[in-house]
Amino acid sequence: MSNSSQRLSLVLPPTSFGNVLMILFSIFLAAAIIFLNASVSLSILLNKALRSENRFMYMLSTCFSDICTGVSYYYVGVLDVRENFASPTRTFYIAPTFLGLSYMAILAAQADRYHAVVSPFKYSTRMTRNRTVLVIFSYWLYAFLIVAVNNLVPVGVAKKVTSIGTFVSNIFTVIIMIGLNIRLFIIARYQLDREPPSEARETKRSSVNLILVVAVFFLGTWLPIFCYVIACNFFDSTCYTFKNEGTDPLRILPRVNASLTPILYIRGCAALRATLLTKVWRGCWTR
């Protein structure tokens, strides 16, 4: 392979004002993803009460994967990189895996809240913190095992595995997440109102509302690429591809979601917000 084909350049040549804005947007987006998710991660790690709740462990998992997404976006978003098996500049599907881990964490968190609301007594005995950590570890391990398999088998086999796996997982993810959203909304509207007023009920309601909002934003930013992949696989056709990752709006949207999710966490959780303002941001400013 020639050296010219391996030489990296910016996502767009800085020959026009619009191109420069696009480059600056990619840099700013990567920085925002890292800053916001690192802030939320530190807030959870510094607050023992938050760490004791399972829902915050899923938040922490989401933030860790999104920090990695932000770091990798300095490469795949700012530079001329295309993520496919033939590309010499690819990340061997490591960068997309961090995005995948983010939506696996959100899906797991939704299932966790569903279980907690529908069967609170069984949930309290079944889902200990150690089991929650085991669930999180399991989907991280699964994700990177898939990466390893795709990079170790022949390219033709890897393409088939990736194509079929992505097609099936996208359909099931969309159906499960939409179904859980509807079910959780019904529960939040009817079942929780029947419980007597208590701090536990309000905590349960706020956690359900937060994961619902996060899931709605997630679906709004991920559905375009889900539908695109499903349509391409269903019709067995070669779909239009953009020049690189950084100019593909279908792949930019999930990265935007990686910066929106921590904002929703901060906005929707008073305890997290208080820790962030008093221990993380104020601590950094007073040093």
Side-chain angles (χ1 to χ4, degrees):
M1 192 170 294
S2 64
N3 291 332
S4 61
S5 63
Q6 297 181 6
R7 191 182 303 122
L8 282 171
S9 58
L10 290 172
V11 61
L12 290 170
T15 54
S16 68
F17 181 68
N19 286 3
V20 172
L21 281 181
M22 190 67 196
I23 296 168
L24 292 176
F25 168 78
S26 296
I27 295 171
F28 173 78
L29 179 58
I33 292 171
I34 296 169
F35 173 74
L36 291 168
N37 283 283
S39 297
V40 173
S41 297
L42 285 173
S43 300
I44 296 172
L45 292 172
L46 291 173
N47 191 319
K48 187 177 180 180
L50 297 183
R51 296 199 309 272
S52 66
E53 294 187 43
N54 291 344
R55 61 184 177 129
F56 288 103
M57 299 308 295
Y58 287 110
M59 282 188 195
L60 196 59
S61 174
T62 305
C63 289
F64 281 161
S65 61
D66 285 343
I67 289 170
C68 296
T69 293
V71 172
S72 65
Y73 201 62
Y74 277 118
Y75 177 69
V76 300
V78 178
L79 301 176
D80 183 15
V81 174
R82 181 178 289 182
E83 192 69 69
N84 59 47
F85 290 102
S87 173
T89 58
R90 70 191 186 280
T91 66
F92 297 93
Y93 285 92
I94 294 174
T97 297
F98 290 127
L99 279 174
L101 281 165
S102 181
Y103 84 69
M104 288 172 74
I106 292 173
L107 184 60
Q110 245 192 325
D112 178 83
R113 288 301 86 200
Y114 178 81
H115 188 192
V117 173
V118 174
S119 307
F121 298 109
K122 290 182 179 179
Y123 176 85
S124 61
T125 56
R126 287 176 181 171
M127 290 310 297
T128 61
R129 184 183 172 187
N130 288 339
R131 287 183 179 177
T132 300
V133 172
L134 181 61
V135 170
I136 294 170
F137 174 78
S138 297
Y139 63 70
W140 274 76
L141 179 63
Y142 167 78
F144 282 101
L145 280 176
I146 296 298
V147 172
V149 169
N150 280 335
N151 287 302
L152 290 174
V153 300
V155 173
V157 176
K159 285 182 177 179
K160 289 181 180 179
V161 171
T162 301
S163 177
I164 296 171
T166 303
F167 176 62
V168 173
S169 65
N170 284 354
I171 290 177
F172 276 101
T173 299
V174 171
I175 293 173
I176 291 171
M177 188 166 282
I178 291 175
L180 281 177
N181 265 322
I182 295 171
R183 180 61 176 160
L184 278 172
F185 175 77
I186 295 171
I187 291 171
R189 187 172 181 180
Y190 296 104
Q191 184 171 318
L192 291 178
D193 288 337
R194 296 174 184 173
E195 294 184 11
S198 65
E199 185 179 344
R201 187 188 74 166
E202 293 309 311
T203 300
K204 194 183 295 183
R205 185 191 299 276
S206 64
S207 65
V208 169
N209 289 341
L210 178 58
I211 196 62
L212 279 172
V213 172
V214 168
V216 167
F217 274 86
F218 170 87
L219 287 171
T221 53
W222 278 83
L223 270 178
I225 193 168
F226 281 167
C227 294
Y228 172 84
V229 172
I230 290 170
C232 291
N233 282 273
F234 183 78
F235 294 108
D236 195 24
S237 61
T238 302
C239 295
Y240 176 80
T241 56
F242 287 80
K243 180 178 181 290
N244 47 43
E245 296 281 308
T247 56
D248 187 345
L250 296 179
R251 286 169 173 78
I252 292 173
L253 276 175
R255 269 90 181 193
V256 172
N257 183 69
S259 64
L260 287 176
T261 301
I263 295 174
L264 295 174
Y265 288 155
I266 296 167
R267 178 67 181 83
C269 182
L272 177 65
R273 186 167 61 251
T275 304
L276 176 69
L277 295 175
T278 57
K279 292 186 177 181
V280 179
W281 287 352
R282 183 176 295 177
C284 293
W285 293 336
T286 56
R287 286 181 183 178

